[in-house]
Amino acid sequence: MRMIQLLRLAAQAEALRWKRTGRGYAMQAGLGAAAAVFALLLLVMLHVAALIWLQEDRTPLSAALIVAAVDLVLAAILGFLAARHAHDPVAIEAQRVRDDALRQVGDTTARAAMVLPLLRSQSMKKGLVGAALTAAVVGLMARR
């Protein structure tokens, strides 16, 4: 019964981890899309206004270079915000719970594999050797 509860707990923790990780990626993609839309639409209006304003005192070429420098700064700031990836503490904890539950399932399985040959064996010596070999194999499989 405990093994089933541990497996259920591991499955729930894994589902929560995937849900939270997916939510983080969706937020990151949304921020990137918003940054792109903002960069395209707002900068078009800023270009027009800045070029008109800057051409009063400067040549059209120098006005265009100033606007391009401002575009570069805005794109760098928005790109940095979109590329930033913070780890979700709930997803990390869910992964730890899943790993602990699966480790306990492996330990329980190893113990059961060690005891079962003893119960089935006619001779105690033969049962102990079989139990030791089975426990070693299950232990190696559980660590992978």
Side-chain angles (χ1 to χ4, degrees):
M1 187 63 141
R2 176 153 168 77
M3 188 181 321
I4 293 171
Q5 290 173 338
L6 289 172
L7 288 172
R8 186 177 299 133
L9 177 64
Q12 289 171 347
E14 184 67 9
L16 178 61
R17 187 177 75 84
W18 278 105
K19 181 179 177 182
R20 296 296 291 222
T21 302
R23 180 178 161 208
Y25 287 138
M27 292 291 291
Q28 195 173 14
L31 285 172
V37 168
F38 179 77
L40 291 174
L41 296 177
L42 181 65
L43 289 180
V44 168
M45 295 303 290
L46 285 175
H47 282 89
V48 172
L51 284 174
I52 291 171
W53 180 67
L54 289 172
Q55 281 182 350
E56 291 176 3
D57 298 334
R58 294 171 183 79
T59 65
L61 179 62
S62 63
L65 288 175
I66 291 171
V67 171
V70 171
D71 287 346
L72 179 64
V73 170
L74 286 174
I77 290 170
L78 293 173
F80 172 75
L81 290 175
R84 198 173 51 164
H85 179 71
H87 295 285
D88 185 4
V90 175
I92 292 170
E93 180 66 19
Q95 184 176 5
R96 189 191 64 76
V97 168
R98 180 205 62 193
D99 292 343
D100 288 345
L102 290 176
R103 189 176 312 108
Q104 289 180 23
V105 166
D107 293 346
T108 303
T109 305
R111 275 188 234 117
M114 188 172 72
V115 171
L116 286 177
L118 286 174
L119 297 175
R120 287 185 288 196
S121 176
Q122 297 296 332
S123 121
M124 184 63 113
K125 186 177 180 183
K126 185 177 172 185
L128 286 174
V129 171
L133 289 175
T134 306
V137 169
V138 171
L140 288 175
M141 290 173 47
R143 288 188 182 139
R144 286 186 186 184

